[in-house]
């Protein structure tokens, strides 16, 4: 397994509200763990929400006795949601803070994936395939046929998410199990990448640097910044 993670402030923001966790070594019963969180709220609140989310998920996975990876993820996310929500309840300056999150673990020939919000996971096999489904207004518009998928990146409502961690006392993540093969690449990223770089460009960069995850990740961030860098950009790459 070859992994690389990077988070970048982008060109227009004055802080980084993204948080990442990338470890190809065992975390509790998990053989590896990869997480990207994109916080929302004020400068202080978004940064705190994503950081608390990552901290709590990692701590929960480390001590989990859950029987299945999906159960472990669900319990960890429930605990992280409570931590962020309670923190916001106790400080009016943090009211309404929350975060997206996408996470993955790979065991044998299966990737276990979880997501809330519009941070994404892609699998690069022969072609690039988006595995997660955005919890966003524009995704709902695509599903209803109101707009085409290609319009999501430029739609004025592209940043409105319909599900987030920490904004309510309960949260419902989506979970996926995907078969993977040697040579596959998993990409976890915040919308600071996907709002700036389309899937065709992402696939081209991953193909060009398929043997070097560091170079691929740095080029994805560079491309997002060259396209405008309007948001924080976070990328985790995992080559099996």
């Amino acid at each position: 397994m070859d992994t690389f993670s990077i988070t970048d402030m982008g060109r227009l923001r004055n802080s980084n509200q993204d948080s990442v966790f990338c470890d190809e070594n065992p975390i509790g019963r998990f053989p590896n763990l990869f997480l990207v969180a994109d916080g929302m709220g004020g400068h202080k609140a978004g940064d705190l929400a994503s950081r608390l989310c990552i901290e709590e998920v990692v701590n929960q996975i480390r001590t989990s006795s859950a029987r299945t990876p999906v159960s472990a993820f669900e319990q960890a996310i429930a605990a992280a949601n409570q931590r962020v929500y309670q923190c916001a309840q106790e400080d009016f300056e943090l009211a309404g803070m929350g975060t997206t999150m996408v996470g993955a673990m790979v065991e044998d020939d299966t990737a276990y994936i979880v997501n809330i919000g519009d941070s994404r996971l892609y699998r690069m096999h022969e072609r690039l395939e988006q595995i997660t489904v955005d919890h966003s207004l524009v995704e709902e518009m695509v599903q209803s046929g109101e707009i085409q998928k290609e319009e999501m990146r430029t739609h004025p409502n592209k940043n409105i998410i319909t599900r987030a961690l920490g904004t309510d006392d309960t949260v419902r993540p989506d979970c996926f199990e995907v078969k993977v093969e040697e040579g596959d690449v998993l990409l976890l990223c915040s919308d600071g990448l996907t709002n700036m770089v389309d899937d065709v460009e992402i696939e081209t960069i991953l193909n060009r640097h398929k043997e070097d995850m560091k170079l691929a990740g740095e080029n994805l961030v560079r491309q997002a910044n060259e396209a405008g860098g309007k948001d924080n950009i976070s990328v985790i790459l995992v080559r099996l």
Side-chain angles (χ1 to χ4, degrees):
M1 184 177 282
D2 179 20
T3 65
F4 177 71
S5 66
I6 184 172
T7 183
D8 185 89
M9 192 159 55
R11 289 189 166 181
L12 300 185
R13 298 295 177 91
N14 57 13
S15 67
N16 192 345
Q17 299 188 11
D18 289 1
S19 296
V20 301
F21 181 87
C22 177
D23 199 332
E24 59 191 75
N25 299 302
I27 305 292
R29 293 185 176 185
F30 278 21
N32 45 70
L33 182 60
F34 310 101
L35 306 167
V36 170
D38 178 359
M40 59 189 189
H43 165 77
K44 176 182 174 185
D47 171 73
L48 181 62
S50 66
R51 185 160 44 83
L52 288 177
C53 169
I54 296 290
E55 282 180 8
E56 191 64 28
V57 170
V58 172
N59 288 337
Q60 292 290 326
I61 295 296
R62 185 171 282 123
T63 59
S64 176
S65 58
R67 294 189 174 206
T68 68
V70 171
S71 295
F73 265 137
E74 289 178 336
Q75 291 171 11
I77 285 166
N81 185 74
Q82 278 298 310
R83 187 172 178 193
V84 175
Y85 181 72
Q86 288 299 324
C87 187
Q89 295 295 106
E90 293 165 3
D91 186 342
F92 75 92
E93 291 186 355
L94 304 176
M97 78 173 179
T99 183
T100 71
M101 199 207 79
V102 62
M105 179 272 277
V106 182
E107 188 170 40
D108 300 324
D109 65 346
T110 304
Y112 298 90
I113 300 153
V114 63
N115 83 293
I116 303 159
D118 59 359
S119 292
R120 295 179 179 176
L121 184 140
Y122 292 85
R123 177 199 182 201
M124 179 75 172
H125 182 56
E126 294 177 352
R127 299 295 302 273
L128 186 71
E129 176 188 9
Q130 183 181 334
I131 303 299
T132 55
V133 178
D134 294 353
H135 302 136
S136 67
L137 181 59
V138 289
E139 179 64 41
E140 292 181 357
M141 294 170 74
V142 169
Q143 296 298 327
S144 67
E146 190 174 342
I147 64 172
Q148 297 298 309
K149 187 171 179 61
E150 293 74 24
E151 299 176 70
M152 292 175 68
R153 293 174 53 243
T154 55
H155 195 279
N157 293 328
K158 67 180 183 294
N159 292 322
I160 299 176
I161 60 174
T162 56
R163 211 184 299 180
L165 186 148
T167 56
D168 203 344
D169 61 353
T170 60
V171 69
R172 181 169 53 90
D174 287 346
C175 298
F176 305 84
E177 296 182 21
V178 177
K179 292 299 180 184
V180 291
E181 301 177 16
E182 184 177 341
D184 284 358
V185 173
L186 301 180
L187 163 65
L188 295 81
C189 60
S190 62
D191 68 344
L193 175 69
T194 53
N195 282 340
M196 293 289 101
V197 186
D198 66 28
D199 289 5
V200 174
E201 293 174 290
I202 292 172
E203 182 177 299
T204 298
I205 290 170
L206 292 181
N207 271 324
R208 186 183 302 140
H209 304 294
K210 57 188 176 183
E211 300 300 323
D212 190 333
M213 292 299 92
K214 181 175 185 294
L215 200 53
E218 289 172 344
N219 273 272
L220 288 172
V221 170
R222 183 179 300 114
Q223 186 69 23
N225 276 322
E226 288 178 356
K230 295 179 180 178
D231 200 353
N232 309 143
I233 310 151
S234 292
V235 168
I236 295 178
L237 290 168
V238 182
R239 183 165 63 90
L240 307 178

